[in-house]
Amino acid sequence: MAQFRDQHPIALQDHMDWIKKALLDRRMRLFIATDQEAGVSVGTGRLDFLRTEKGVAVYETSITVAPPMRGRGYAVPFIASLVHECRIFMEMGKFSRGSIQANVKPMNHASLCAFASNEFVPTLFSESLVTLERNLL
C-alpha cells in the first residue's frame, strides 16, 4: 500500500490508524464508488476541509480507481458525484461554501482530463503536482 504523494509503502497499522482518525473527523468524508449494475466496487474518494482563505472554505478531493477498473470511464462520473455530494453538504450546512481542489501528478493525463471534464481548472503547477480547482460559490 502506498500513499499518493509519497510512494513508499505504508504499514497496515498506520493505514488503519489513518482510517479511524478520518472516520471521526467531521470535516472529512470518505466514499466508495460502485458499479451497481455489475455489483462491484470500483474505487474510493475523499472530500476533506483544507483551510479558509479570505472567508471562503477550500476543500480537497481525491479519487483512486482500482487498477483493474481503470480505463472503463468510472473517474469522470465519480468526480461528478463527489462535487454533487459537496454541494449537498454545503446546502445542508455541514460544509461552508467554497471551492474544491484536487492535486494530480503531471504525468497522470487520465486524471487531469477527468477533473477537467468536471470543470476543474489548473491553478498551480510544479514538477510533482498540478493543483486543479472548481469554485462552488
Side-chain angles (χ1 to χ4, degrees):
M1 189 175 318
Q3 300 175 64
F4 166 71
R5 291 185 179 98
D6 179 355
Q7 293 301 303
H8 294 92
I10 304 169
L12 178 59
Q13 188 58 51
D14 291 342
H15 185 64
M16 296 304 293
D17 291 345
W18 178 86
I19 289 174
K20 288 177 190 174
K21 183 179 172 186
L23 291 172
L24 294 172
D25 188 342
R26 302 180 106 214
R27 300 176 305 167
M28 181 187 293
R29 299 293 188 270
L30 302 175
F31 300 87
I32 298 173
T34 60
D35 180 330
Q36 292 181 344
E37 289 179 17
V40 296
S41 297
V42 299
T44 60
R46 174 181 57 80
L47 282 171
D48 192 9
F49 174 79
L50 284 181
R51 66 186 175 279
T52 300
E53 199 171 273
K54 298 179 184 175
V56 176
V58 179
Y59 300 91
E60 181 179 45
T61 190
S62 68
I63 68 164
T64 301
V65 175
M69 307 310 266
R70 292 179 185 164
R72 298 183 186 191
Y74 289 115
V76 172
F78 189 16
I79 294 166
S81 293
L82 289 173
V83 169
H84 179 74
E85 291 295 322
C86 193
R87 284 185 186 278
I88 289 172
F89 291 139
M90 288 176 180
E91 289 170 9
M92 293 172 56
K94 293 184 183 257
F95 279 9
S96 299
R97 297 238 174 240
S99 63
I100 306 175
Q101 288 184 350
N103 292 299
V104 178
K105 292 183 179 182
M107 299 303 290
N108 189 341
H109 300 291
S111 287
L112 291 169
C113 289
F115 280 101
S117 293
N118 277 284
E119 301 175 27
F120 282 74
V121 296
T123 57
L124 186 65
F125 300 88
S126 74
E127 277 187 36
S128 59
L129 287 177
V130 176
T131 299
L132 301 106
E133 190 165 353
R134 178 167 173 181
N135 190 333
L136 296 180
L137 295 176

